Amino acid sequence: MLNEVHESRFAAEMTSGALSVRWIPLLALFLYVYIEMTIFIQVAHVFGVLLTLMLVIFTSVIGMSLVRNQGFRNLILMQQKIAAGESPAAEMIKSVSLILAGGLLLLPGFFTDFLGLLLLLPPVQKLITLRLLPYLRFSRAPGGFGPGGENGQTYDGEFQRKGDTSSRLEDRDRDER
């Protein structure tokens, strides 16, 4: 009887799709490990194990330097857009693809390095930006993205409270002695 209950529950989960969705992350992990091991073994068969290990480290280092350079360039572009009063939405999406590329390049293996380097290519970044931009909403503050207040003017000045004869700094210096 108990076995029949488990079988009917299993059949219900299979038809509802709950069981298959639950196993997707585990299957993806096994597929990732299988792909990485297969590529590593094939490359090690051709070049040797030591050279293959050095190649994995070399591709990760080169990839991370590319992510770093593109990240700084993207940060400068975002600052320029904000200073010009424009929306930096496209650069923000590029930053997300750069973070993903950096994460993939940090993982050891040729497949993840390939995917990470693919995310660094400008046409791929542009395609991701064009696909994701319609789904995102960006709004500006009343002053826009630029510096300054409502009129774009910033006022600098000093003030002193009426009836306040001593400054706080002098009081603090006295307390510390």
Side-chain angles (χ1 to χ4, degrees):
M1 179 71 180
L2 187 61
N3 196 16
E4 291 175 10
V5 171
H6 286 295
E7 287 178 12
S8 64
R9 187 174 164 194
F10 179 74
E13 285 180 355
M14 286 299 286
T15 57
S16 69
L19 185 65
S20 62
V21 172
R22 195 177 349 171
W23 289 99
I24 288 177
L26 188 62
L27 290 174
L29 179 68
F30 281 126
L31 183 65
Y32 159 71
V33 171
Y34 175 76
I35 291 171
E36 286 290 1
M37 287 178 65
T38 303
I39 295 172
F40 189 85
I41 290 170
Q42 293 297 322
V43 172
H45 182 69
V46 174
F47 294 117
V49 176
L50 185 62
L51 189 60
T52 303
L53 288 173
M54 289 174 42
L55 191 59
V56 167
I57 294 169
F58 178 73
T59 56
S60 294
V61 169
I62 294 296
M64 288 308 298
S65 69
L66 286 170
V67 168
R68 182 174 168 249
N69 290 338
Q70 283 193 12
F72 283 134
R73 188 178 311 131
N74 198 34
L75 181 65
I76 291 170
L77 282 172
M78 280 196 303
Q79 289 174 343
Q80 289 173 349
K81 289 241 179 161
I82 290 172
E86 299 174 10
S87 172
E91 284 74 21
M92 293 169 92
I93 294 173
K94 271 188 191 176
S95 295
V96 171
S97 76
L98 288 174
I99 290 170
L100 289 173
L104 287 170
L105 288 167
L106 279 177
L107 289 173
F110 293 109
F111 182 66
T112 53
D113 287 347
F114 171 74
L115 292 177
L117 291 173
L118 194 65
L119 283 174
L120 291 178
L121 295 174
V124 175
Q125 288 179 349
K126 188 173 184 176
L127 179 68
I128 291 172
T129 303
L130 291 175
R131 297 279 186 198
L132 293 180
L133 205 53
Y135 298 107
L136 301 175
R137 302 267 186 247
F138 293 95
S139 62
R140 295 190 209 195
F145 286 105
E150 291 180 22
N151 300 329
Q153 299 174 351
T154 303
Y155 298 100
D156 188 18
E158 297 179 10
F159 73 94
Q160 184 178 8
R161 294 185 182 144
K162 291 187 178 185
D164 190 11
T165 56
S166 65
S167 72
R168 291 183 180 181
L169 291 176
E170 292 172 0
D171 291 339
R172 192 178 342 163
D173 289 340
R174 238 182 294 136
D175 292 339
E176 290 176 1
R177 291 182 204 164

